Amino acid sequence: MQVIRAVGREAAAKKYDLLSAMMAHGLAGDKHRQRLVLRLMALITTRYNWQRDELTIGQREIARLWCVDERTVKREMAKLRALGWIEIKQQGARGRVSVLGLNLDRILLDTKAEWPNIGPDFVERVGGKRAEPTSNVVPLHRPEPMPAEGLWAEARTRLAEEDPALFDAWFAGLIEAERDETCLTLFAPSRFHAAYVQTHLLERLRIAVQRCDGRVGKVRLIGP
């Protein structure tokens, strides 16, 4: 999967690819998902700075753009943060609005199932080899998949469906060590394995877990 970065000669095409993926995903969903995606697309096309990855707009402005009240804005933006589609880069303070960023890789990952609806040319163009750190580093000893139950078993299934190769390399060997109401602790087969997942893949891991149980918003990695 290509990484969308709006720079260089193909910047415009990459923007359209992302918006097309979001459009197809929204149209394939129910009315609530359609509306949420449309609202985010409105923010992207009117206020998003592609080069700096910054979305700076107040709730009052968003409410006016979406033709809703500010309470609806808070609720919808919370849904987008929970999906991992938007992230807070700088918290607003002293009358200044928060600076938000888009997790473009997460958006592409979540819309991948609907790419064929656009066409095989789109799938071939956008679905190329993913240029991310995990493509260059592999575990010295690939662990066998470990049995799991409950929340971690459900999260593992999600991760395996999203990217089987990445799952086999880094997630399959993780074991649930401890869980409380808000945090899931996972045990890795080595300190290197734990450190790598913590550094490069923790956000993907956290989102998968949170989507299985919204109360668990933190994931911690430990090693031998």
Side-chain angles (χ1 to χ4, degrees):
M1 188 165 62
Q2 68 159 288
V3 178
I4 298 291
R5 295 288 180 266
V7 294
R9 297 176 59 184
E10 299 181 354
K14 291 178 179 179
K15 294 176 185 178
Y16 278 115
D17 283 343
L18 179 72
L19 294 172
S20 296
M22 293 176 64
M23 173 197 64
H25 179 71
L27 291 173
D30 59 23
K31 63 180 181 181
H32 303 292
R33 179 51 58 91
Q34 291 175 4
R35 186 165 52 198
L36 184 65
V37 172
L38 177 60
R39 285 171 172 169
L40 179 56
M41 291 176 69
L43 292 179
I44 292 174
T45 55
T46 59
R47 289 292 185 268
Y48 181 58
N49 185 319
W50 290 90
Q51 292 186 335
R52 298 176 61 180
D53 179 30
E54 289 184 356
L55 177 62
T56 307
I57 181 172
Q59 290 184 356
R60 185 175 299 177
E61 294 177 275
I62 297 176
R64 183 171 62 246
L65 176 64
W66 289 356
C67 299
V68 298
D69 56 34
E70 291 187 42
R71 221 165 53 167
T72 299
V73 172
K74 292 180 181 179
R75 184 171 62 249
E76 295 290 86
M77 295 300 280
K79 291 179 183 178
L80 291 169
R81 288 195 301 272
L83 284 171
W85 286 22
I86 63 173
E87 303 166 339
I88 298 178
K89 299 180 66 176
Q90 182 178 331
Q91 188 69 51
R94 296 183 180 179
R96 294 186 177 182
V97 301
S98 297
V99 178
L100 305 175
L102 297 183
N103 189 334
L104 303 181
D105 294 343
R106 184 74 241 179
I107 293 174
L108 284 177
L109 192 63
D110 285 344
T111 59
K112 190 174 181 179
E114 288 75 41
W115 292 359
N117 296 347
I118 301 174
D121 58 324
F122 183 88
V123 175
E124 182 177 358
R125 182 172 68 254
V126 181
K129 186 174 180 61
R130 184 181 179 84
E132 61 180 351
T134 57
S135 63
N136 299 323
V137 181
V138 296
L140 296 177
H141 302 286
R142 178 169 295 183
E144 292 295 324
M146 303 299 295
E149 297 179 354
L151 173 61
W152 179 227
E154 188 177 349
R156 279 165 49 98
T157 299
R158 281 182 175 271
L159 292 165
E161 291 174 350
E162 288 179 357
D163 193 325
L166 192 67
F167 173 82
D168 288 342
W170 296 105
F171 299 133
L174 301 178
I175 305 172
E176 181 174 342
E178 184 181 357
R179 176 192 171 187
D180 59 30
E181 293 183 355
T182 61
C183 179
L184 175 67
T185 301
L186 299 173
F187 183 85
S190 69
R191 291 185 180 181
F192 167 76
H193 196 120
Y196 190 86
V197 174
Q198 181 81 31
T199 302
H200 299 287
L201 301 170
L202 185 63
E203 183 62 12
R204 179 177 289 200
L205 196 57
R206 187 194 66 78
I207 289 174
V209 170
Q210 190 173 47
R211 289 184 179 183
C212 296
D213 187 338
R215 299 169 298 177
V216 182
K218 182 180 179 181
V219 176
R220 188 168 68 98
L221 272 294
I222 58 175

